Amino acid sequence: MSAVWTASRAAVRRRRVQTFVIFLVVLVCTATALISVALLDAARSPFQRAFDGQNGAHSVVTYDPAKVTDERLTAATTGVEASAGPFGQVIVEPQNDVGPVFSQPLTVVGRADPGGAVDRVDLWHGRWPSAAGEIVLNEPPQPDEDLSMGPLAGVTELVTNGKTLRIVGFAFTVSGSADGWVTPAQVAALHPTGTQMLYRFTGDVSTHDALAARVSGVTTGLPGDALLAAQPYLVTKEEAAAGPGVYLPFLGTFGILGLLVAVIIVGNVVSGAVVSGFRHIGVLKALGFTPRQVVAVYLTMVSVPAVAGAILGTGLGWAAVRPMLTETFRGLGFGQDAAVQPWVITVVLLGVPSLVLIAALLPALRAHRLSAAQAISAGSAPRRGRGLRVQRALSGSRLPRAVSLGLGLPFARPARTALTMASLLLGVVTVTFALGLSDSVIRISEVGEIAAGDIGVRPMRGDEQPASQRSDTEIEQMLRALPGTSQVGVGVARDLSVAGQSEPLMINFVRGDTAAMGYEQQLYEGHWMTAPDQLVLPTQLLNERGLEIGEKVTVSLQGAWTTFTIVGETVRGLPGPEGAFATWRDFPDLDPAAFFYQVQTVEGTDLGAFTQSIRAADPGLDAWDNTGGDSFSTVVTGFAAVLALLLATVAALGVLNTVALNVTERRRDLGMLKSIGMTPRQVVSMVVTSMAALGVIAGLLGIPLGLAAHRLVVPLSADAAKIRLPEYVMQVWDPATLALLAFSGVVIAVAGALIPARAAARLTIARVLHNE
Amino acid sequence: MTTETPVVRLDGVRKEYGDTVALDGVTLEIRAGEAVAVMGPSGCGKSTLLNMIAGLDKPTAGEITVHGERLDTMNETKLSLFRRHHLGMIFQFFNLLDDLSALDNVALAAQLTGSSAGTARRRALELFDELGIATRRNVYPAALSGGERQRVAVARALMNRPALLLADEPTGALDSKAGEQVMDLLLDLNQIGQTLLIVTHDERLAHRCASRLVELADGQVARESALDRV
Ligand SMILES: Nc1ncnc2c1ncn2[C@@H]1O[C@H](COP(=O)(O)OP(=O)(O)O)[C@@H](O)[C@H]1O
Ligand SMILES: [Mg+2]
């Protein structure tokens, strides 16, 4: 073995460029692979992870305390794996301003502690209520600074039925078991109307029917009318699936892409190292190295830098992905610890070096089959028939000689050139695709949000002080005149009776820039209203009411039946309960407080200051920041940027490797060219030109491929996530971006070629010629 | 010197590369202690013949026996083991390993036969002394002159005291002075009993070092003659 070790150690030490390139490529690819796999793992089932983490309740069941005692509930355990409760439960209506989220009837449960066998509530801020008069509210975890900026800022208490409950903390339940928690004594004082039991069942819980069967199992033997409600976890799971979690499959495609590129480029570089060593292999064989020993030399030679690169790359990827995952899950509102799973690290740490070994093994085995005589002669000179012909054609052109020589270089080694081309192409495709994908995902995640404008404004209600003295048109004018305003939409929401239906339909009558702010752009189908008798409905509302585009709806409006036709379907309606859109009508008898305003600001406006300027302009107006949920787009942009950068770097390293190999092999040609008077600058431009030409081709081919991948993958992921895409989500390309992208191939190629080209220019003629 | 069993025996050896017939029925014997020169025009099959005898390539037909063993039926691994123990090779373009110093290039051959690195280096140093290149032992091949490289290659070939030393155009890439030195070296080796097969088209080399001349033409042995060394 020692002869093998001597030969491989010498190769690792003396072939510094090769060792370094393998190390670097493996390092970057390992980091990419780790980020990718961690991402895929996280994207798999964020809800399930959070649910399992809290030992979530399969069913949150409410019983009537008048019909069944706590003792009987505790005793009913048919099919129950674990349970929590009984807890007293009451619905309270907040009477003070507790922000938009909690301004509704709230389910409050009396629980002595957040832990237990089921529904281990995550108390992420403050403390659990320990005395009467204290409450903890259910809210997804968020950083303290978000809390202090968000709608809950300044909310310190909840007033209901003349009692004041001090908010002492925030906690989060994935099971959605309550909106707030108080001590058991406090809930008793509030006169509970229900008793809550939280169950985890044995047996099948995968469908609504199965869950219903489980619940009826546990309630057998209890009084028939004791069960008030049972909320299966599937409801929450489905809600989660419709939340920002749907975008995870999109992130997953980054993961797959990253993995793919990492595999291909590692393969390229490593096999390049082996192929370029054919003469070396022949010599080893002539000396008496057995085929097995030759393979061992080559595997050891690439393993040393590969293992070092894999270990460092794992660390690097881990450090990079942790904050990204944490942000992602915060954005999802599950607030779980998003640590990289140990299996991910294990898989990457073992997988990448194995990949390197396979990449090295394939050409090494080919060399193994070559007879020693062939191997020795294989390394001596590349075949050049084709190269010569192209060279001759080019030298007849009017290009500078160095450039035309450089353009001919790639033809000397067609196979290697093809592999380099593949690296470059992948680089360009990745950059293009990543850019398009992140742009699309951001658009998807902001559907509804952009359209809602940055700032929401409404006049204080009648009983609040001070009241605005302006009319709705005056308010609109005032808002438009503010520095920083770019668009203003005005709306008024009316709950209208529908002929033939018991439930009223909410219609938002809008004017101003509402359509232009994005609602029109986000139409799935149909068109925006063009006449006063037309409606546009968000999907959810269409589905709830069983309506379709083209159908007519008759509502009672200002004392008369009015018929509207549905002409469009949009992603989401205005913030708040889902309502239809219709064009503006005057409602002379309405309280000015019924109108609301949406303001889109000029890019870069300080929203805090802008909000204050509205309040300063009219103290009778309430204005709030509608943005938020931005962290998700930050994450996506972050992922896209990091992966695109990593993969572009890897592609550049692939070029560097090729050029280094070419220069080594063609030292003699280079020396000859210099001996007949080529300047170092010309050598650099010749070598760089050879790669830049590939970069141009990669740019031209890679962009359509990247666009096609985007066209294909985004709708595919959307399907997987069961969401529909408005067309504007796909229209992320503009000519300037494409031109820049076309340039990316050249940039990657030149970046990779420059270092070895300069090394080639510095070769002294005497040494080169002496060596051959 | 016993001459009963020949060190090399070729019987009807044929080698084809696709349509090219490189060797066309070569029958040849080399006895221990002989120094045989193979000559002939470029492309007549000299290197191919040498590669066959070294087990670097397999014949299309015919039998090759070296040091009492049939090479044409051996697998690659057996051939490697055979080569490292019984053969030494010198090439026109030296074929030293660029990654190793001159001394380590030579020591590597002994390491292959199981010597420790220390033992291998000591033996290599002795050879370096004998060949007059001791001062160049820590230099890498790229910095050696052609003559020095070829002497390192000779040292490497001699490391395991081979039964047969094969040389393919050993002076082909050298200037006349360096060429002379290598010729002297080969002659000295043969005079202390080393069996030699030298492929060359240098008349002077053949007449100086060889005791017998084999002339190849179009892959066939055209003429064999005894030589009086000058
Ligand atoms: N590996 C090979 N593949 C194809 N043809 C070969 C190979 N090696 C040698 N030849 C051909 O075999 C013939 C003999 O070559 P060679 O033995 O190298 O001649 P020389 O006498 O000049 O050493 C030539 O025609 C050469 O082109
Ligand atoms: Mg030859």
Side-chain angles (χ1 to χ4, degrees):
Chain A
M1 208 49 199
S2 85
V4 169
W5 179 238
T6 304
S8 30
R9 194 188 47 185
V12 168
R13 284 219 308 244
R14 299 272 303 168
R15 303 181 189 183
R16 293 211 193 102
V17 174
Q18 175 184 301
T19 302
F20 185 64
V21 167
I22 293 176
F23 167 78
L24 221 55
V25 165
V26 172
L27 176 108
V28 177
C29 287
T30 310
T32 310
L34 188 94
I35 295 174
S36 306
V37 177
L39 200 55
L40 284 171
D41 173 53
R44 228 168 12 128
S45 50
F47 174 82
Q48 202 62 41
R49 273 173 69 160
F51 188 74
D52 293 347
Q54 288 194 359
N55 242 18
H58 289 144
S59 196
V60 176
V61 180
T62 309
Y63 294 98
D64 187 344
K67 303 278 166 49
V68 62
T69 61
D70 286 0
E71 288 70 30
R72 287 192 69 181
L73 289 178
T74 314
T77 55
T78 314
V80 173
E81 180 192 87
S83 67
F87 303 129
Q89 175 183 315
V90 64
I91 311 282
V92 303
E93 297 227 21
Q95 283 146 355
N96 60 329
D97 184 2
V98 286
V101 179
F102 291 99
S103 296
Q104 51 178 326
L106 303 177
T107 303
V108 173
V109 167
R111 247 173 106 161
D113 72 283
V118 179
D119 190 30
R120 292 175 191 145
V121 173
D122 173 17
L123 178 68
W124 55 269
H125 185 87
R127 59 176 178 80
W128 199 250
S130 57
E134 293 178 345
I135 188 168
V136 159
L137 294 179
N138 179 26
E139 174 75 7
Q142 48 195 280
D144 284 349
E145 62 273 21
D146 287 9
L147 194 62
S148 61
M149 300 278 289
L152 287 170
V155 179
T156 56
E157 56 185 33
L158 187 150
V159 181
T160 181
N161 293 339
K163 290 196 174 67
T164 299
L165 299 169
R166 199 155 58 83
I167 299 167
V168 295
F170 292 101
F172 180 62
T173 164
V174 178
S175 310
S177 58
D179 299 311
W181 295 271
V182 294
T183 60
Q186 176 66 67
V187 88
L190 288 167
H191 308 297
T193 51
T195 306
Q196 182 179 78
M197 285 297 295
L198 305 165
Y199 295 114
R200 282 181 75 85
F201 297 115
T202 55
D204 181 19
V205 290
S206 61
T207 63
H208 284 277
D209 286 348
L211 269 171
R214 299 285 93 75
V215 171
S216 71
V218 77
T219 52
T220 330
L222 298 178
D225 49 359
L227 179 80
L228 291 178
Q231 176 193 306
Y233 79 103
L234 292 173
V235 170
T236 328
K237 187 175 180 173
E238 283 150 15
E239 274 169 17
V246 300
Y247 312 124
L248 284 182
F250 293 91
L251 286 186
T253 57
F254 279 134
I256 294 171
L257 191 76
L259 221 52
L260 196 77
V261 176
V263 166
I264 292 176
I265 291 182
V266 164
N268 267 1
V269 168
V270 171
S271 58
V274 178
V275 170
S276 75
F278 271 6
R279 187 188 70 94
H280 182 243
I281 289 172
V283 175
L284 292 178
K285 285 187 158 188
L287 273 177
F289 277 75
T290 62
R292 214 179 274 234
Q293 285 177 316
V294 172
V295 172
V297 168
Y298 270 77
L299 293 190
T300 314
M301 182 180 96
V302 297
S303 294
V304 171
V307 167
I311 291 171
L312 242 95
T314 304
L316 208 73
W318 181 80
V321 81
R322 254 193 80 86
M324 291 170 145
L325 285 181
T326 307
E327 273 297 303
T328 310
F329 282 98
R330 191 172 280 160
L332 289 177
F334 293 142
Q336 69 195 85
D337 173 38
V340 179
Q341 305 285 302
W343 75 263
V344 172
I345 294 176
T346 315
V347 161
V348 170
L349 208 49
L350 297 180
V352 175
S354 315
L355 173 75
V356 170
L357 285 189
I358 292 169
L361 197 59
L362 293 178
L365 287 178
R366 192 154 72 93
H368 172 172
R369 281 197 306 276
L370 276 183
S371 77
Q374 277 171 310
I376 291 180
S377 56
S380 52
R383 254 175 288 143
R384 31 202 327 195
R386 235 173 316 179
L388 266 186
R389 223 175 309 138
V390 175
Q391 292 275 21
R392 229 175 279 135
L394 282 168
S395 68
S397 70
R398 281 163 180 233
L399 295 167
R401 194 70 192 104
V403 172
S404 66
L405 273 172
L407 287 175
L409 275 183
F411 295 93
R413 279 266 186 201
R416 181 180 298 161
T417 303
L419 286 181
T420 313
M421 190 69 211
S423 307
L424 277 172
L425 203 59
L426 272 171
V428 176
V429 171
T430 312
V431 173
T432 307
F433 176 76
L435 207 73
L437 184 60
S438 71
D439 220 349
S440 286
V441 173
I442 289 169
R443 283 183 185 208
I444 295 168
S445 76
E446 288 173 351
V447 155
E449 266 169 36
I450 310 186
D454 298 327
I455 304 288
V457 179
R458 70 169 173 77
M460 304 279 197
R461 298 205 185 274
D463 52 350
E464 295 167 37
Q465 286 304 323
S468 173
Q469 302 304 314
R470 291 178 162 90
S471 71
D472 62 286
T473 34
E474 284 166 349
I475 292 175
E476 185 185 351
Q477 276 164 8
M478 184 276 288
L479 290 174
R480 284 190 189 282
L482 282 178
T485 300
S486 90
Q487 292 179 316
V488 178
V490 187
V492 59
R494 310 298 293 144
D495 261 332
L496 304 172
S497 316
V498 184
Q501 288 190 18
S502 59
E503 219 182 320
L505 176 70
M506 190 170 96
I507 299 183
N508 295 293
F509 296 90
V510 295
R511 72 157 193 254
D513 304 321
T514 307
M517 282 166 72
Y519 289 109
E520 182 170 13
Q521 207 176 25
Q522 291 177 0
L523 282 173
Y524 281 136
E525 269 168 58
H527 61 84
W528 198 246
M529 297 87 67
T530 51
D533 64 342
Q534 295 180 341
L535 288 181
V536 167
L537 269 69
T539 307
Q540 192 192 331
L541 198 57
L542 279 176
N543 292 345
E544 270 173 25
R545 301 297 174 100
L547 293 169
E548 278 175 28
I549 291 182
E551 282 190 72
K552 293 192 189 321
V553 182
T554 304
V555 299
S556 167
L557 186 63
Q558 288 164 313
W561 289 108
T562 311
T563 299
F564 287 91
T565 308
I566 302 171
V567 296
E569 175 183 356
T570 188
V571 179
R572 258 179 239 173
L574 295 166
E578 289 288 43
F581 288 100
T583 51
W584 184 260
R585 279 172 200 238
D586 285 322
F587 296 95
D589 49 336
L590 268 190
D591 176 359
F595 298 93
F596 57 82
Y597 308 83
Q598 295 172 297
V599 183
Q600 186 72 48
T601 55
V602 176
E603 187 84 34
T605 305
D606 174 353
L607 295 182
F610 189 78
T611 315
Q612 282 183 348
S613 74
I614 295 175
R615 293 204 188 110
D618 188 340
L621 293 180
D622 189 11
W624 63 92
D625 184 344
N626 248 340
T627 60
D630 257 349
S631 73
F632 191 76
S633 18
T634 318
V635 169
V636 174
T637 327
F639 266 119
V642 168
L643 281 172
L645 193 74
L646 283 178
L647 295 174
T649 308
V650 171
L653 286 173
V655 172
L656 184 138
N657 184 57
T658 299
V659 175
L661 291 176
N662 282 347
V663 166
T664 313
E665 266 176 25
R666 305 181 69 89
R667 273 183 311 228
R668 187 158 44 165
D669 298 9
L670 290 172
M672 183 270 291
L673 289 171
K674 288 175 86 172
S675 74
I676 58 172
M678 192 176 256
T679 65
R681 188 186 291 262
Q682 280 176 313
V683 171
V684 171
S685 75
M686 177 182 75
V687 174
V688 170
T689 303
S690 69
M691 289 298 129
L694 295 188
V696 169
I697 301 171
L700 294 180
L701 290 180
I703 287 171
L705 283 177
L707 295 187
H710 176 255
R711 260 282 147 206
L712 185 78
V713 170
V714 173
L716 224 60
S717 307
D719 268 0
K722 301 195 172 55
I723 56 169
R724 290 164 70 200
L725 299 179
E727 179 54 27
Y728 105 106
V729 163
M730 298 301 295
Q731 290 161 354
V732 295
W733 306 109
D734 60 80
T737 316
L738 291 179
L740 260 174
L741 282 171
F743 210 57
S744 68
V746 182
V747 171
I748 295 173
V750 170
L754 216 51
I755 294 172
R758 295 189 124 153
R762 275 198 306 269
L763 280 176
T764 48
I765 306 166
R767 249 181 78 192
V768 170
L769 296 179
H770 165 79
N771 270 334
E772 296 302 323
Chain B
M1 219 117 306
T2 51
T3 51
E4 278 96 66
T5 45
V7 175
V8 178
R9 205 174 77 211
L10 272 64
D11 196 359
V13 171
R14 184 178 171 82
K15 178 66 183 178
E16 297 166 6
Y17 292 107
D19 291 339
T20 317
V21 179
L23 292 179
D24 186 9
V26 173
T27 300
L28 183 69
E29 277 191 7
I30 300 172
R31 287 177 298 282
E34 266 195 303
V36 175
V38 177
M39 296 192 72
S42 171
C44 69
K46 304 183 294 294
S47 295
T48 307
L49 178 72
L50 191 104
N51 288 342
M52 294 294 133
I53 295 170
L56 292 182
D57 217 340
K58 296 228 175 176
T60 313
E63 289 180 10
I64 301 173
T65 312
V66 180
H67 198 64
E69 304 211 40
R70 280 283 295 277
L71 298 194
D72 51 302
T73 55
M74 272 188 195
N75 69 20
E76 279 274 336
T77 305
K78 284 237 180 71
L79 280 173
S80 311
L81 298 176
F82 178 82
R83 248 188 328 261
R84 67 166 76 147
H85 284 108
H86 305 298
L87 296 180
M89 293 197 70
I90 311 168
F91 302 90
Q92 178 175 4
F93 294 109
F94 327 118
N95 280 333
L96 296 176
L97 295 173
D98 300 333
D99 306 327
L100 294 172
S101 68
L103 189 72
D104 286 341
N105 256 286
V106 175
L108 186 66
Q111 275 176 276
L112 268 179
T113 58
S115 303
S116 71
T119 315
R121 284 199 177 171
R122 269 192 298 280
R123 162 120 178 88
L125 260 180
E126 284 170 27
L127 278 168
F128 269 58
D129 273 337
E130 286 169 29
L131 298 179
I133 45 175
T135 55
R136 310 294 281 157
R137 62 179 180 274
N138 290 325
V139 175
Y140 283 85
L144 292 172
S145 74
E148 286 167 338
R149 283 187 220 189
Q150 199 59 302
R151 275 182 284 169
V152 173
V154 171
R156 182 176 67 179
L158 294 176
M159 231 359 219
N160 295 324
R161 301 185 175 90
L164 175 65
L165 183 62
L166 300 162
D168 190 353
E169 314 260 13
T171 58
L174 301 179
D175 59 58
S176 60
K177 180 158 168 282
E180 298 267 339
Q181 286 174 335
V182 170
M183 282 182 220
D184 288 341
L185 194 56
L186 293 175
L187 182 60
D188 290 347
L189 285 169
N190 181 243
Q191 279 171 346
I192 59 169
Q194 178 68 57
T195 313
L196 275 181
L197 176 66
I198 306 168
V199 163
T200 184
H201 45 227
D202 181 348
E203 298 263 349
R204 271 169 16 99
L205 173 62
H207 287 88
R208 179 115 156 241
C209 303
S211 53
R212 185 150 64 99
L213 176 68
V214 174
E215 284 173 85
L216 278 190
D218 294 333
Q220 290 179 320
V221 177
R223 202 155 67 104
E224 283 192 66
S225 51
L227 289 176
D228 295 325
R229 292 192 185 141
V230 261

